[in-house]
Amino acid sequence: MEIDKERQKKARAYARKRRHVTLINMGGVSAGLLIILITRWDAGLRDLVRAGTRIGWVSHTLPFLQWQPLAGWYPWQILLYFLAIILFYQLLATPALVYGSFILPRRYGISIQTLSGWISDVGKNFVLNLGLEAAAISLIYGLLALQPQWWWLWTALAMLFFSVVMANLAPILIFPLFYKFKPLPAGKLTERLIKLAASADTRVQGVFTMQMSNKTTATNAALMGLGNTRRIVLGDTMTDRYSEDEIEVVLAHELGHHVHHDIWKMIVSQSILTLGGLYLANLALHQAVEQQGHYQSLTDPATLPFFFLLTALFSLIVMPVGNIYSRHMEYQADEYALQMTQKVDAFKSAMRRLANQNLTEISPSPLVEFLFHSHPSVKRRLQHADTFAEKRYSSLKASLNMPRRVAVSSSEPPGIVNNGSSTPRSAH
């Protein structure tokens, strides 16, 4: 399998347009938040929400909207404010969402999903994220009211716990909402992959296929879950066109993440970054409330746009740092796959086939790779495989050329070289 030059032309154009959509979306949302802050619509929306909850029939029908566990903390009003901000965000982001995740992938032949199917997935994703984000906001502002100096630490610990729980439950609760899974039929490939996992001291609940073919022409494979939910997952767009050797090296890469404890490393590293971001947000919020007097209190709903902008800016700044660490882990997983299987040709063939199928740009600019890519470029991964092969060849050549010594006998003086011995020492 070689790189398809025509598909590479499409891949470069596709990657460029996706970056443009991402940057426009990020810029539009950031500009929207800045406008809210500069024009003081943040305070105006707060006043509107509070006035709405005091309307006679509203306060009579929905009295819980006035619930105030602590002075200045109105949990339900914060959620109403949050909902208004989210709807504003969706209004700004919808054009980029439609173009970037539906029109553009279909134009380049990556997506084959129907409009109704796409709307269904977007809707489920929106509802799921809305629920999780609402719970997170409720937690954060509850801690701001109860622990105004240490809320950032407790929030980071809660998010760490949530990350671990979700890593365990996602394969059985989240992913099935979007894809159908079924066990890979018993046979040579299944046995081979189970054996491969066992050789890496990895217990899995089985090998499953993920139905991707009704949505995309791209493919993927993963080792999903933690503990009792860990399983091998192959896209059905992989099992029908990749050789068993290619599938084996792809899975060996995923097993490399497990052997190196990369899931835990990623959870911990992300938690550390989150902790740092929340601490900086804590300083900025206290400054804005206590020194600048921009808000009535730390739990003022009007602080939400300010908080969102702070977290967005911090995420943008640290994204390259997270990507550097991620690329390092991916490099190590590639090395593990090559060491474990010794199948350099299958590794290179799988990388090329993935690039062709997924319309992946094999050699992005160094700046783009540094800023946006969580994986090494395909070109670097192929070079890694070539370097591995050269080292293996050099090591083998050196071993074959190494003089071999035999045990001292009465007919040979100590230390004599015997290159013709048929019983080389075990060290060789």
Side-chain angles (χ1 to χ4, degrees):
M1 171 60 63
E2 298 299 327
I3 294 294
D4 187 321
K5 293 182 179 179
E6 288 302 316
R7 286 192 66 78
Q8 270 305 294
K9 291 181 181 178
K10 293 180 66 176
R12 287 191 289 271
Y14 182 51
R16 183 174 62 254
K17 290 180 180 179
R18 291 178 64 193
R19 285 195 298 272
H20 290 166
V21 171
T22 299
L23 293 174
I24 290 171
N25 185 50
M26 291 169 57
V29 172
S30 298
L33 289 172
L34 283 173
I35 290 172
I36 289 175
L37 295 175
I38 293 172
T39 59
R40 293 316 311 266
W41 287 359
D42 50 354
L45 180 59
R46 173 201 62 208
D47 296 340
L48 182 63
V49 168
R50 287 182 176 173
T53 62
R54 296 189 180 111
I55 296 174
W57 69 268
V58 175
S59 61
H60 178 73
T61 308
L62 305 172
F64 61 86
L65 295 177
Q66 296 293 329
W67 181 44
Q68 185 181 192
L70 293 175
W73 176 33
Y74 296 88
W76 288 102
Q77 292 181 21
I78 290 173
L79 285 178
L80 284 175
Y81 193 104
F82 165 74
L83 181 60
I85 291 294
I86 289 298
L87 292 177
F88 174 71
Y89 165 79
Q90 286 301 132
L91 183 65
L92 289 177
T94 293
L97 175 66
V98 173
Y99 181 76
S101 67
F102 182 71
I103 296 175
L104 193 61
R106 284 182 67 86
R107 182 175 297 171
Y108 281 86
I110 291 296
S111 173
I112 56 175
Q113 193 173 23
T114 63
L115 178 60
S116 60
W118 178 81
I119 291 174
S120 175
D121 280 354
V122 169
K124 286 184 286 188
N125 187 64
F126 174 76
V127 171
L128 180 63
N129 285 335
L130 183 65
L132 294 176
E133 290 167 2
I137 289 298
S138 297
L139 173 66
I140 289 172
Y141 277 80
L143 289 171
L144 276 167
L146 297 170
Q147 295 283 328
Q149 299 300 325
W150 295 99
W151 68 272
W152 53 276
L153 177 60
W154 291 112
T155 298
L157 291 174
M159 295 179 71
L160 172 60
F161 174 76
F162 178 76
S163 297
V164 174
V165 172
M166 288 305 298
N168 177 260
L169 296 180
I172 58 177
L173 292 183
I174 305 300
F175 294 126
L177 295 174
F178 302 93
Y179 296 98
K180 292 182 180 179
F181 293 83
K182 63 180 181 179
L184 186 68
K188 184 179 178 181
L189 178 59
T190 301
E191 293 175 0
R192 189 170 179 176
L193 297 182
I194 292 293
K195 182 178 179 180
L196 185 67
S199 67
D201 294 326
T202 304
R203 293 184 180 181
V204 296
Q205 300 303 310
V207 182
F208 295 81
T209 57
M210 178 171 61
Q211 186 179 11
M212 301 175 65
S213 56
N214 63 334
K215 298 182 180 184
T216 180
T217 60
T219 194
N220 203 354
L223 189 67
M224 292 183 177
L226 284 177
N228 62 347
T229 65
R230 187 181 292 115
R231 60 202 58 203
I232 298 168
V233 176
L234 304 174
D236 62 351
T237 48
M238 174 176 284
T239 55
D240 64 350
R241 66 187 73 181
Y242 286 66
S243 70
E244 291 188 0
D245 281 350
E246 289 171 338
I247 292 175
E248 181 180 359
V249 295
V250 170
L251 178 61
H253 169 94
E254 300 301 326
L255 288 169
H257 288 305
H258 168 75
V259 171
H260 298 143
H261 309 292
D262 286 343
I263 293 178
W264 289 106
K265 289 178 182 177
M266 187 59 74
I267 289 175
V268 171
S269 63
Q270 290 296 326
S271 297
I272 292 173
L273 290 176
T274 298
L275 180 66
L278 289 172
Y279 176 69
L280 293 177
N282 172 67
L283 296 179
L285 282 172
H286 278 277
Q287 177 73 14
V289 173
E290 297 167 1
Q291 304 298 323
Q292 305 296 328
H294 289 315
Y295 303 103
Q296 296 175 352
S297 67
L298 292 173
T299 56
D300 185 347
T303 59
L304 270 169
F306 182 55
F307 181 77
F308 287 157
L309 185 61
L310 290 174
T311 54
L313 289 175
F314 181 79
S315 298
L316 183 62
I317 291 170
V318 302
M319 181 172 64
V321 177
N323 284 339
I324 289 172
Y325 187 47
S326 177
R327 289 194 297 270
H328 172 69
M329 290 191 294
E330 297 297 334
Y331 178 90
Q332 288 185 319
D334 281 350
E335 180 70 17
Y336 179 85
L338 291 165
Q339 291 280 0
M340 186 181 195
T341 66
Q342 296 291 309
K343 296 176 179 176
V344 176
D345 290 340
F347 178 91
K348 293 173 66 176
S349 177
M351 291 298 107
R352 296 189 188 107
R353 197 180 298 275
L354 284 166
N356 289 338
Q357 184 175 356
N358 293 353
L359 210 60
T360 302
E361 186 179 12
I362 64 169
S363 184
S365 74
L367 180 61
V368 168
E369 185 176 357
F370 173 77
L371 291 175
F372 301 110
H373 286 214
S374 60
H375 288 60
S377 67
V378 174
K379 181 180 179 180
R380 293 184 190 276
R381 299 178 82 171
L382 293 174
Q383 290 173 341
H384 182 184
D386 287 336
T387 301
F388 175 85
E390 291 171 3
K391 289 181 179 178
R392 185 179 63 177
Y393 174 75
S394 298
S395 177
L396 178 62
K397 185 177 180 181
S399 177
L400 291 174
N401 291 335
M402 186 178 295
R404 291 170 291 177
R405 299 177 182 274
V406 298
V408 176
S409 68
S410 58
S411 60
E412 291 181 339
I416 191 169
V417 175
N418 184 344
N419 287 324
S421 171
S422 61
T423 57
R425 295 171 60 132
S426 59
H428 299 299

